[in-house]
Amino acid sequence: MSKADILMTAPMMPIVIDSLDKAFTLHRLWEQADKEAFLQELGPRIRGVATSTLYGRLEATLLDRLPNAEIISSFGVGYDNVDAVEAAKRGIIVTNTPGVLDDEVADLSIGLLLATLRKIPQADRYLREGRWLQAPFPLSPTLRERKVGIVGLGRIGKAIATRLQGFGVNIAYHGRTQQNDVAFTYHPTVVGLAEASDVLIVITPGGASTQHLINAEVLKALGPTGVLINVARGSVVDERALIEALQSGTILSAGLDVYEDEPRVPQELIDLEHVVLLPHIASGSVHTRNAMGKLVADNLISWFDGKGPLTPVVETPYTGRAV
Ligand code: NAP
Ligand code: 8YV
């Protein structure tokens, strides 16, 4: 039996490329000198797509060129890079990489929280600049006695909460729905959660439903001793409002892993000595990125083995149909 033709939109990790090369006929879109001619000729043969949140949006115009696509396997648990509603209309399954990165992202979120509160990067810079020789590093804010609000108590939010319980802090959360099986206090509005918290950790999906969920009103409610940690998507926070809140002292500080226009970070944020800025690394260990890459490949392999997708997104549920 001939192998299925798979399109990879941009270079992915060796573990993905090697697995797909073995199982399928893999086409590398980025290597095509004339992409239009390539899509014209081979587009109708493509049955599966491998893509990544790293490479921008997979536009419907590309799907127009792939009339026989059955499945899009996307690298990352967030899949705001793929229009899953449009894919559903076309009968295309979309898969993501949930679960395998929860612990890594939760670990990093706690690291970012502590780094922001205790000024760990600033203290490192202080020592390297020889300033300890002149005076001790100034005392920092603390996690002690803080109330932590989690915006998005999903898989990763829960892994963050589990870790926070070890720190003895009070935990509450906001989401669209109250969860009956968790002991933390629920706030039906994000402003309400911000008012009741000294730290907000944001770990929702991106996309239209969370666009600028964290706005000027929420930051005002968080208040002058408040700290914002964003490990979700840059789009969830109104970056202009955040810069204004940090510059004016409306909130105390922020620790950010994600930005509205990655990899571009506003100079105003870079100029703020009291914020901690990471280059979207929450899942970025070799171990976890390999696990995510394996799941990208395994979703395609399972689908073309006729066993269905392993991790379809909610917009494109598997209904038993298979190749
Ligand atoms: P998940 O299990 O689906 O959890 C998402 C949570 O967000 C749910 O509790 C959901 O609760 C809540 N939520 C969804 N839409 C919301 C809205 N409009 N308003 C308020 N809450 C909302 O997802 P996950 O696996 O934990 O991943 C969460 C997200 O983290 C990903 O989608 C991705 O964007 C981000 N992420 C970032 C990194 C990084 O490298 N920085 C790494 C991994 C993931 P309700 O349904 O009750 O609203
Ligand atoms: C990755 C992420 O950094 O899973 C997600 O949603 O944002 C991260 O794990 C990203 O997917 C890299 O492509």
Side-chain angles (χ1 to χ4, degrees), residues 298-311 318 320-323:
D298 287 351
N299 263 300
L300 290 167
I301 291 166
S302 179
W303 175 259
F304 287 104
D305 276 352
K307 296 176 187 156
L310 300 177
T311 49
Y318 179 52
R321 177 174 59 87
V323 287

Side-chain angles (χ1 to χ4, degrees), residues 77-80 98-99 101-102 105 151-158 174-179 203-206 209-210 213 230-233 257-258 280-283 289:
V77 64
Y79 52 96
D80 41 330
L101 42 47
D102 297 351
V105 176
V151 184
L153 193 71
R155 286 172 294 249
I156 301 171
K158 288 193 176 82
H174 164 73
R176 292 164 301 182
T177 40
Q178 180 163 12
Q179 302 181 41
I203 185 66
T204 62
S209 85
T210 54
L213 184 65
N230 186 13
V231 278
R233 283 288 181 268
D257 186 45
V258 287
H280 200 149
I281 58 163
S283 69
R289 288 284 171 86

